[in-house]
Amino acid sequence: MSTDFPVNADPVMAADSGDQGYRYVRSALAEPDWRRLPGWREVTEAEWRSATWQRAHSVKNAGQLRTVLGGLLTDRFYADLAADQTRYATMAMLIPPQMLNTMVPGAPPDDESFLADPVRRYLLPVASDRDPDWPSHPHAERDSLHEADMWVVEGLTRRYPTKALAELVSTCPQYCGHCTRMDLVGASTPQVAKTKLALRSADRQEAMLDYLKRTPSVRDVVVSGGDVANVPWPRLESFLFRLLEVESVRDIRLATKAVVGLPQHWLQPEVLAGMARVAGVAAARSVNLAVHTHANHAASVTPLVAAAARALLDAGVRDVRNQGVLMRGVNATGAELLDLCFALQDEANILPYYFYMCDMVPNAEHWRVSVACAQELQDSIMGWLPGYATPRIVCDVPFVGKRWVHMVGEYDREMGVSRWDKKYPIDDDAAERGGVYYDPIHSLPESGRRRWSESYPSD
C-alpha cells in the first residue's frame, strides 16, 4: 500500500527508448473485459451497452464496490478508502461501470495494482494518496475560481466579456475527486455541505435566457453543470432550441464527461436523433455546436468512447474536444499526455484541446503540479501532434480566467507564488482581486516549504 509521498517530484518525460524521450506507436483501442470482475461475470454485452444498466449499477459506496470486486481487494484497501471518505473526500462516490472497468484493464486487480492505477487515483481516492503534510493548500477554497461570485443570474457565470457558463444541473454521471465545482456538485460529504441551487430548473433557465437576450456581447455559451448528460434529453433539447433563438449567440459548447465515462448515454437512438435536430438548426443558423468531454488517461479511451464521439459527429456536431486536468500520478509526464492525446486524436475522433492545472480546491495537493512543471510539460509535447491537435496547458487563475502557462507575469519559484494579469475586467472589483496562483507546497525547495510551515504551523 502506498505510504511514501514524493517530495519536490514533478515528473515530466518518462524515460523511454525514443531519441526524444517518447516513441510513437499506434495502439488500437480495446474494451476491457468486464467479466474479469466477479460481480459482473454474468453481465451480457447488451446490458453493458445499456445506459440504463450503467446508471443503475454505478458504484456509490464501499459495499457496492466489494460486490463488484468480490474478494480481489483486502480489508486494508477498504480501511484506506473509509479513512479518506471520513477525513478528506470532497466528492461523493459515483463511478459508472464503464469507468470502473478501465481500472487495471488487463487483469483482475489486487491491492497493489488497484492503488497504482491512474484512473482509480482520481475517481476513487484513498487516504494514503493524500499529501500527509499538506493535504490542502492554505489558500485552497471550495469555489476556488469564485464562479458563484460572478453569477449574473443563478447558475450563469460570466468571467469573460464575450462568454458565459450556464450550469443547468448540479449532478454528474460520475464524480471526480478534483472537481472544480466541488462546492456545488453532487451530494454532501463529511467535509463539505454542498451549496444548493435555489431556483427551480425552469425558472433558472428562463433567467439565463433572459440575460443572454439582453446582453448581445455574449456570443459563446458553455452549457454545463454538473453534466448535461444528467439533464433529461427533452428538457436539454428545449433549452438548446431556445438558446439557438438568441441571435447574438454564435458558439454553443456542451460539457459532458459522459462521452468518456458513460458513452452509452450518447449512443442512445433518442439522444442522437435529438442531437441531430439541434445540430441541424445550429448549422442553418451558422452557429458552431461542439461537445467537450473529459478524459485524463489513455486507459479510459475505449471503442465505446470512440463510437460515441463518432456518432455525435455524424449527428452534425462540429467537434468533440477533450478538456483534461493535469494530475500527478495520472498524466503528469509527457509520455502519459502524448499517449492520451494520440488515443483521442488517432482512434476516437476527439480533439485534444486543453489540459487544466488542477484547481486549488481542498485536499487536492497530492494531484497538483507546479507552474514550472506545467511549462516543461507543454514544451515536451510540442512537435509531436498536428498543431491544431496540440493541447494547450492552462492555469485557470481566480478572478482572471484561463491563461496559457507560459503567460505567467511574475513567478516566485521558492514560494511557488505566480501572478497573472487580467486583460479584460468584467467589473472593477473583479479586476482588483485574484490574479494569484500557488504551486503545491510539496513541489517547492526546502527553504520554501520551511517558510510555509512557519507561516501556517500544522495542527
Side-chain angles (χ1 to χ4, degrees), residues 105-419:
D110 55 20
D111 280 14
E112 183 178 3
S113 61
F114 203 59
L115 283 166
D117 186 85
V119 179
R120 193 283 309 165
R121 284 186 61 84
Y122 75 90
L123 276 180
L124 191 63
V126 293
S128 61
D129 292 333
R130 309 284 181 173
D131 186 327
D133 299 317
W134 298 95
S136 289
H137 195 280
H139 292 289
E141 296 184 71
R142 290 170 46 147
D143 181 8
S144 65
L145 300 180
H146 299 270
E147 289 181 331
D149 292 339
M150 289 176 275
W151 280 355
V152 288
V153 299
E154 184 183 77
L156 187 66
T157 299
R158 191 175 176 202
R159 290 201 293 160
Y160 305 95
T162 59
K163 298 188 283 188
L165 166 71
E167 298 168 62
L168 295 193
V169 66
S170 60
T171 62
C172 296
Q174 72 180 47
Y175 293 139
C176 309
H178 60 277
C179 181
T180 188
R181 297 195 184 106
M182 49 77 56
D183 183 57
L184 176 69
V185 170
S188 296
T189 73
Q191 288 71 47
V192 182
K194 303 288 176 147
T195 300
K196 301 296 183 183
L197 295 169
L199 294 176
R200 292 189 313 118
S201 176
D203 294 338
R204 187 165 59 254
Q205 291 182 20
E206 200 66 42
M208 291 176 179
L209 291 165
D210 178 68
Y211 177 85
L212 293 171
K213 290 173 185 175
R214 292 185 288 102
T215 316
S217 57
V218 175
R219 59 165 306 282
D220 179 358
V221 180
V222 178
V223 185
S224 182
D227 191 310
V228 296
N230 273 24
V231 181
W233 179 261
R235 189 185 308 164
L236 178 59
E237 184 173 348
S238 174
F239 178 80
L240 294 175
F241 278 138
R242 295 189 65 194
L243 186 58
L244 284 164
E245 293 172 357
V246 181
E247 193 165 338
S248 53
V249 173
R250 312 313 303 154
D251 275 281
I252 297 174
R253 294 177 277 169
L254 307 182
T256 171
K257 292 184 283 292
V259 175
V260 174
L262 190 67
Q264 295 85 349
H265 171 82
W266 293 106
L267 287 167
Q268 295 176 102
E270 63 273 21
V271 172
L272 289 173
M275 185 64 82
R277 290 190 292 269
V278 172
V281 173
R285 298 182 181 178
S286 299
V287 175
N288 298 309
L289 177 68
V291 171
H292 285 193
T293 192
H294 184 76
N296 288 322
H297 194 272
S300 61
V301 184
T302 74
L304 276 170
V305 173
R310 182 72 264 166
L312 287 166
L313 292 168
D314 289 345
V317 169
R318 173 172 175 167
D319 280 308
V320 180
R321 307 175 185 130
N322 185 64
Q323 297 187 138
V325 174
L326 201 60
M327 288 181 285
R328 296 171 75 245
V330 178
N331 55 22
T333 70
E336 289 165 335
L337 286 182
L338 288 171
D339 282 349
L340 172 55
C341 290
F342 283 122
L344 294 166
Q345 175 73 3
D346 288 0
E347 313 303 330
N349 295 293
I350 299 174
L351 182 72
Y353 178 44
Y354 276 145
F355 282 99
Y356 289 87
M357 297 187 68
C358 186
D359 290 321
M360 293 181 58
V361 293
N363 296 335
E365 288 301 274
H366 65 293
W367 284 306
R368 295 199 309 120
V369 302
S370 66
V371 170
C373 173
Q375 292 172 335
E376 291 180 47
L377 280 165
Q378 182 74 83
D379 292 343
S380 75
I381 65 175
M382 297 300 290
W384 291 96
L385 292 144
Y388 71 91
T390 300
R392 284 172 288 176
I393 300 177
V394 295
C395 184
D396 213 345
V397 185
F399 290 111
V400 170
K402 290 183 290 292
R403 288 290 182 272
W404 184 40
V405 290
H406 284 82
M407 293 173 65
V408 62
E410 302 174 21
Y411 188 14
D412 180 345
R413 292 285 296 274
E414 181 188 21
M415 295 298 290
V417 181
S418 53
R419 301 184 184 278

Side-chain angles (χ1 to χ4, degrees), residues 1-3 66 73-82 111 115:
M1 188 168 291
S2 173
T3 56
R66 281 184 184 267
L73 304 182
T74 69
D75 287 342
R76 291 181 63 200
F77 171 82
Y78 290 103
D80 202 4
L81 176 61
D111 280 14
L115 283 166

